[in-house]
Structures are given as structure tokens and as C-alpha cells.
Amino acid sequence: MRNGVHSWHLFKQVANFNLFKQYKILSLSRTYSAIMISSTRCTFLGNTGLGGCGNFHGGQRRSCGPWRVTCMSPSNDRNGSVVNVMETPLKEIKKEHVEVEVVEDVDDNPISGGGPRDVYGEDKATEDHFVTPWSVSVASGYTLLRDPHFNKGLAFTEKERDAHYLRGLLPPTVIPQETQVKKMIQHIRQYQVPLQRYTAMMDLQERNERLFYKLLIEHVEELLPIVYTPTVGEACQKYGDIFMRPQGLYISLKEKGRILEVLRNWPEKNIQVIVVTDGERILGLGDLGCQGMGIPVGKLSLYTALGGVRPSACLPITIDVGTNNEKLLNDELYIGLKQRRAVGQEYSELLHEFMTAVKQTYGEKVLIQFEDFANHNAFDLLEKYRSTHLVFNDDIQGTASVVLAGLVAALKLVGGNLADHRFLFLGAGEAGTGIAELIALETSKQTNLPLEEVRKNIWLVDSKGLIVRSRKESLQHFKKPWAHEHEPVKNLLDAVNKIKPTVLIGTSGQGRTFTKEVIEAMASINEKPIILSLSNPTSQSECTAEEAYKWSKGRAIFASGSPFPPVEYNGKVFTPGQANNAYIFPGFGLGLIMSGTIRVHDDLLLAASEALAAQVSEENFEKGLIFPPFTNIRKISAHIAAKVAAKAYELGLATRLPQPKDLVKFAESCMYTPAYRTYR
């Protein structure tokens, strides 16, 4: 087969020929031996192998540099957008293979729109003349520098600059990735406002993906509060102001009936993790509607940086069903649907269509993580789909797992088992009831007592006071298991004095609710009170680290949801721990992926908690920490992934067989590393 005809067949496999054949081939020549379609003068199937491409002979293709699909306007200028060149005469192709309408000149007029010749069709594109924005090429030259997946900036070697047409597009200096990291961290640190740092990090992610993750991994303790809580909360509040480029999929009520089509618009096809939100309960900030996209984007950045899930396998999604936030509805910069939230059947149908489409598009083993749904939807969605999909709610299950790990570790400081302690929660929503249930499950497992019995040591306070049996009829279904026999108690301080808990946990989303009187009461009851102030962001934390240590006279074992700096009290420095979900969900997700797990079982969450608690060292305990430092987070994630995978194999939920002998090493080998690749 002649090269020109063979190349034509190859092109038809790359592009959608049914669409392509509707448009006119713009120029034909016998000068070269293959089709050339490029925005950077790079031969796609050429014998010359330009732009790092290999030659095509007899159906064989050498491996090439980075391949991308880009879009632009067609042109009959060889130096411009689309140039089609083939060796075989057009009549022969038309006769033997395809029908092609020949147009010798699509624009006889050299002057268009009152200016120079309109090479790119920019003038006529605004009129009735339609253009087809398409191009297929090896990423090279100017295009390569603007592709975040392959761009390396000044780290391109001399050889790569020659092979990929980068001469003159970069300064002459070649610097390694390590130097780029040093430069970028200095750049980030020059900003004093956290939101400016967040914007700078997101801009880097859009320019150079591998450098972004390299920077985040090497400076994780410093940058985690920027790309995640607490700064991501402010970013969501101002998302309409800082929104520049789409970072995920937006599925709104407008797409009802077409969600499968929308999912197929996403360029990556091998998706392993989806983080989805409807924006109704973003952190402790409430309904932020479509602007909640910052949460899935941030979570998936951590899936890659901390858990090693490759970025191309991650998909952030916001489901926009409207918002009840009046401020957003009246904001001209708001990017979502300006209508009240859909509820009832309309909401359920949209979510069910979404869940069905995800499974149809990405298969049985794609992990769907629900994020920041309101209580009335979060529990129902988890319960409805946990038996048919691989679903995980980070607010209910992830928070529970990380808090349970902290409590198990804290027992080494205070003594006893979980069954020996009494727990009091301020907050009875997703996080509070989720943590309570996992504590009960672990206690039941340790003592062989029924769940109903061990739940009696766990008490919850909501906005109306202590949850007791006399209130049971008016309670939401997820609160009813915690309605114990007791007289009504209206406020937290009275509940502390009546229940006499050894552990106080805040998940209320209400700042400064652990008052001086409450913490002093805890300290009077316990030699070492365990106080966990978990609400995010920092402004919503039930108390600060300084308040907890000062009011307990330095005796509290403290951890929070948002980070707090070290505290000095009576000459001793206390380092507060952070009960951050980022300890759990990246490693947990990696464990599910590497084992091919098809359903999330509660025992997998317990396994993750045990693995995290085991990573707390004696040195950490001496500083008052009940969680390990984030500097070793990828190692921690590998151990969590191994424990989760082992439990999945034990329960028969894993599908990747045979089971690897060393699951920790296997987890480490599965992790994405952001080091630059070498291009041919």
C-alpha cells in the first residue's frame, strides 16, 4: 500500500471521519508522503519524523513524544492551522477510497473584513461562514509549552528543545526540576494572603502539572493548608471572582437526560476516582452552590500528591441543582444556576441518572466520593448506592476513620480501651454520627458486645440539646440510634457535667462553642481530657489549640480539623495534632484501586484507622501528638492502602488476582511520581 493511502486510513482512525468528511480538504500536494495536520508545523504521519514522531511503515509505528489533540481553525496556509498533504493523487483516493469534494480556493478575495488576508478565518467566523476547529499533532513548540501535562518549562534539555521545536521559545538556560521547586516555593512565599497563595498554586497546576505535585509533595505541611482546608473554604466563597479555567465537569439541571453525553466530553477516559459535590454544605460555610467545585479539585489534588493516584485518573464534578444562598443568587459574578435548589423527585432523578451514567462510562470499579452534601441527602445517597456502586462519603466515613485512629492512638497516653471511655459530641450531623457509629463498630469488635449496648457510652448534643429518648419521635433517622434514656439537657456545659465524658468531640461547625467553662469542666473530670475540635475552616473551630491547653492547664490531649501553630504553656511547647481527612482518603482510595475492590465495607474503614494509628511514634506522643506528621504522608498512605487492600482480599471484595505478596511495596510501586519524563 502506498504511503499516502495508508496514512489516510490511519488518519481516519484518529479523527471522526464522519464529521471530517462534511468539510472540504483545504489543500492537497504531492510534495510529501503523508497527511500533515499541525498547528506547529509538526508532521503527524510524515516520513521525516519531525517533532519527535516515528515513521509509519507497514502498519508499524515507533513510539513518539507526547501526543495531544488540540483545536484550532482550518487554513490553507502551510504555516498555519491545517495542511493536508498526501502522495496519492486525489482522483485515485476519490475513486478507490472516499468521496472528497475538491475546492481549489475557499477564499478568492485576498482581503477580508477590511484588513489583511484572513488566514485563520477569524473575520468570517463571526458571519455565516462556518469553520471546523480541529487539529491532530504531536505536542511540540508553542503548543507543548501550554500543555500542563507535558510542559517542563526551563527543564527541557537541549536535545528536547531541538526535537520539539522549542528553540527561541525558552530562555537558553536549562535548569533541573529541583531548582524549579526552590524557585516556586520562594514565589509562593512572597504572597502574604493565603488566597493569593491558593491562586498561585492553581495557576501552577494549570501550567505545569508535574511541578505542581512535586512542589506540593516536598512542602506538604506548608502547602496543605493552602490547597485544602482552611484556604480552600475561602476559595469556594470567592470562586466566581477567581474562576479562570474549567477544572472539572459541571453537571446542572440543564443537562438532565444528557449526563452520559456530558461525561463523554471529559478528555480522559480511564477514570478511577470521582469526587462529586452539590455544594450545599461546603465545610462549615453552608450552601455555596456551583462554587463548591474548589472542594473536589482540592481533594483530588491530594489523591495524587498524598495517595499517588495519577492525575489523569481523577475527575472533579459539581452537580448544580441551584442554590438557596440569597447572596449568590443576587451576585452577577455567580457562575451557577440562579434558581432555588431542586428537591424531591427532580433532585433524585438527576442524581440517579448521574450514578447510572458514571457506572456505564467508567465501569464497576470507579470510586465515587461524595463530598459536602447536606445531611438530608448525604445519608440517603450513601445508603442507596453503597450496594450497587463503589461509593465513599468522606464527611461521614473519612472523618470517622481519621478520628477513630486518633482516639486509638490517644489511648496509649490515657490508658484503657475504647469501652472504658465515655464520648460526648457537639454536633449530630454527618461527621458526628459517622464518627460515633465507627467508634461503636470498633468497640463492638473489640468487646464482642452488640452495637446497641456499646452505643450507650456515646452521647450527642445538637442544636436543641442532648439527644435523649423523649425526643426520638422528632429526630431525623440518623440521630435515632443515639437517643438514650436521660432527662433533657439544654446546653453543652450541663451535658458535660451530667454525662461526665472522657472525650469531647466537636463537629458542630459553630466556632468558639468549647468555652472556658466547658474545657475547665472537662479538666476537672479527667486527668488528661481528650478534646477534639474538628470543625473547618479555622473560624468555625470549636476552640483554638491555645485555649484548649491554657484552660486545661496543659493537660488536654488536643487535635483539630484545621491546623494550629505550636503553643507554649508553662515553659512547655505543645504541638497540636490535626485530625485531617487527608490522612485517610488518599491511602484508602489507593487501596481500593490497587486491589480492584468493588464495594466499600465498614471493615475497610476500621482497617484504615488501625493502619494510621500504628504510624504514630513515641516521639510523636512525647510532643502530645496523636497523629503522625504529614512529612511522611506518602509512606503512611502506602501502609493504609496495604491494610485496606488486605482486608478487601480477606472479605472477597477484591478483583485483582492474585493478591501481591508484599502489599506495602506493591502500593508504593503503584504510586504516581511527579518527576519529569524524558521526551524523544
Side-chain angles (χ1 to χ4, degrees), residues 596-609:
T597 300
I598 56 173
R599 299 288 180 269
V600 172
H601 191 281
D602 288 334
D603 283 355
L604 302 183
L605 299 169
L606 298 178
S609 297

Side-chain angles (χ1 to χ4, degrees), residues 442-583:
E442 180 66 11
T443 306
S444 176
K445 179 182 173 183
Q446 292 178 1
T447 60
N448 291 321
L449 293 173
L451 269 176
E452 292 75 12
E453 185 67 25
V454 298
R455 281 176 179 153
K456 293 178 180 178
N457 272 343
I458 304 172
W459 298 79
L460 281 72
V461 174
D462 65 7
S463 60
K464 294 181 175 61
L466 189 67
I467 294 178
V468 294
R469 191 174 299 278
S470 61
R471 294 178 52 197
K472 193 167 185 177
E473 294 304 316
S474 63
L475 292 173
Q476 294 166 288
H477 66 89
F478 54 85
K479 295 182 181 180
K480 290 183 177 181
W482 313 104
H484 308 316
E485 195 64 51
H486 198 281
E487 64 186 63
V489 177
K490 290 296 184 183
N491 60 62
L492 178 62
L493 180 58
D494 289 343
V496 170
N497 289 324
K498 297 279 187 181
I499 303 298
K500 298 189 183 305
T502 57
V503 181
L504 179 63
I505 301 175
T507 61
S508 65
Q510 301 298 316
R512 304 301 181 267
T513 44
F514 288 177
T515 62
K516 181 180 180 182
E517 293 76 18
V518 167
I519 292 177
E520 286 179 344
M522 285 292 296
S524 68
I525 297 168
N526 306 283
E527 178 62 28
K528 292 183 177 181
I530 300 174
I531 298 173
L532 306 181
S533 174
L534 303 178
S535 294
N536 288 314
T538 308
S539 60
Q540 308 304 116
S541 184
E542 285 76 12
C543 70
T544 67
E546 183 178 8
E547 290 168 344
Y549 292 124
K550 181 180 178 181
W551 293 338
S552 68
K553 294 181 169 56
R555 291 189 280 119
I557 297 170
F558 177 81
S560 58
S562 292
F564 284 103
V567 175
E568 184 176 350
Y569 180 79
N570 280 351
K572 183 177 179 181
V573 176
F574 296 90
T575 305
Q578 187 183 359
N580 195 321
N581 292 18
Y583 278 115

Side-chain angles (χ1 to χ4, degrees), residues 224 228-229 302 402 560-561 563 578-585 627 630:
L224 188 60
Y228 192 43
T229 56
L302 300 187
V402 73
S560 58
Q578 187 183 359
N580 195 321
N581 292 18
Y583 278 115
I584 289 291
F585 70 81
F627 294 100
F630 268 105

